[in-house]
Amino acid sequence: MGKTSKDKRDIYYRLAKEEGWRARSAFKLLQINEEHDIFSGVTRAVDLCAAPGSWSQVLTKKLHENTKNIDKVKIVAVDLQVMAALPGVIQIQGDITKLSTANSIIKEFQGNKADLVVCDGAPDVTGLHDIDEYVQSQLLLAALNIATHVLKDGGVFVAKIFRGKDVTLLYSQLKQFFEFVTVSKPRSSRNSSIEAFVVCQNYKPPEGYVPNMVNPLLDHQYCDFNQFTGVNRFIVPFNACGDLSAYDSDKSYPLLLDGQTSYEYKEPVQGPINPPYKDVLEKTKNLQL
Ligand code: SAM
């Protein structure tokens, strides 16, 4: 590949270098803002999954446009990877699925809350679409959980989402916490990619909601469930059906049931068509095994 072939192939890659952005992703956040005005009045922001740092660069530019007082601007960037320093950006090297990371962010805000949380997190893609979508959704839920710890009421949350087949479930989960949930596909995001961005506005958690980090798989322990109370604990109605006089499926019964005087064995109505053990049975019959 020639030195300029990527520049020819990817206009945003080229523009990022020309304009001094660390990654072409900067244009995604800028284009989301053109549509949704996400930086309006924002002076405190969290950039989750921030490396190499182009979204933090955009935040630095936009937040400083909002106030002349540089002390009012606070940007906290988090990533698993080490990120080269950016003036005015506090960096935390950590995993966004961990409560300890949420706590480190809270500490940096010293009792204040963030106006905006953004997350461009992407796991290493395996190429197995179902797995990639699932892991991405776990990352999104981790980012949402962090947002519930640090975001002010009325705040904005923007995060990468894979528009896979189960995406509506994620939209409904986000809708529990935000008045407006929109999906945005910036022009700088390739059409061939299933990535898009959820733009969630007006943070309004359910009354009594206690932020937690339990949703993501990585930290999950089944015994954790019982610690939830109030609106945090959704109890699904359970219903046992069938008359009490019906047979109990866990019990053994004699071959002759009440009122019967003889028993006749009957073949199953439809046996398995091609069971995995068929081959072994054939070979056993022919004494090959
Ligand atoms: N927005 C960035 C920018 O503009 O430079 C690009 C982000 S890059 C597409 C995705 C990042 O997600 C990677 O740097 C990766 O290390 C990070 N990441 C993935 N899983 C993470 C996790 N569990 N915690 C923190 N960061 C994570």
Side-chain angles (χ1 to χ4, degrees), residues 169-183:
L169 175 62
L170 284 175
Y171 297 151
S172 341
Q173 283 170 303
L174 292 164
K175 194 72 180 68
Q176 301 288 318
F177 294 92
F178 295 90
E179 189 178 3
F180 307 107
V181 176
T182 319
V183 189

Side-chain angles (χ1 to χ4, degrees), residues 45-281:
V46 180
D47 183 6
L48 299 172
C49 303
S54 79
W55 280 26
S56 288
Q57 288 179 292
V58 171
L59 287 169
T60 305
K61 181 172 185 294
K62 293 292 180 184
L63 271 50
H64 283 286
E65 283 170 10
N66 283 344
T67 174
K68 297 255 171 308
N69 182 353
I70 53 166
D71 294 336
K72 275 184 92 179
V73 172
K74 182 141 261 180
I75 301 164
V76 178
V78 183
D79 203 287
L80 283 174
Q81 316 286 337
V82 189
M83 184 171 116
L86 268 175
V89 175
I90 299 161
Q91 289 187 28
I92 296 172
Q93 194 180 351
D95 183 341
I96 68 158
T97 65
K98 302 281 180 216
L99 180 62
S100 54
T101 307
N103 286 334
S104 306
I105 301 169
I106 291 167
K107 219 157 112 214
E108 293 297 346
F109 279 102
Q110 297 163 336
N112 292 311
K113 291 225 155 172
D115 307 305
L116 171 69
V117 174
V118 295
C119 176
D120 190 22
D124 290 336
V125 171
T126 64
L128 300 168
H129 298 315
D130 284 353
I131 293 179
D132 291 338
E133 280 163 37
Y134 180 72
V135 178
Q136 170 66 26
S137 66
Q138 290 298 316
L139 212 52
L140 171 67
L141 290 175
L144 172 66
N145 277 342
I146 297 242
T148 62
H149 283 82
V150 301
L151 201 56
K152 70 169 192 190
D153 281 2
V156 176
F157 174 62
V158 175
K160 187 188 308 238
I161 191 166
F162 283 180
R163 283 174 307 154
K165 59 182 175 359
D166 297 324
V167 76
T168 38
L169 175 62
L170 284 175
Y171 297 151
S172 341
Q173 283 170 303
L174 292 164
K175 194 72 180 68
Q176 301 288 318
F177 294 92
F178 295 90
E179 189 178 3
F180 307 107
V181 176
T182 319
V183 189
S184 213
K185 176 85 175 170
R187 287 189 64 118
S188 47
S189 169
R190 294 185 185 92
N191 274 330
S192 55
S193 159
I194 57 165
E195 92 170 359
F197 295 86
V198 275
V199 181
C200 308
Q201 287 161 305
N202 199 9
Y203 176 59
K204 222 192 234 177
E207 220 181 299
Y209 182 78
V210 181
N212 65 78
M213 292 295 290
V214 173
N215 277 343
L217 255 201
L218 300 176
D219 247 0
H220 188 78
Q221 283 179 8
Y222 284 90
C223 57
D224 278 345
F225 276 118
N226 289 336
Q227 76 196 25
F228 294 120
T229 53
V231 291
N232 293 280
R233 185 158 191 206
F234 178 57
I235 299 174
V236 182
F238 176 83
N239 145 351
C241 50
D243 194 278
L244 283 181
S245 61
Y247 292 118
D248 179 346
S249 56
D250 292 315
K251 205 174 141 181
S252 301
Y253 291 91
L255 289 178
L256 288 181
L257 297 172
D258 282 350
Q260 289 183 331
T261 50
S262 66
Y263 166 77
E264 184 197 345
Y265 173 78
K266 293 203 171 93
E267 288 294 334
V269 176
Q270 170 67 65
I273 292 173
N274 204 2
Y277 48 82
K278 189 174 157 194
D279 228 28
V280 179
L281 284 182

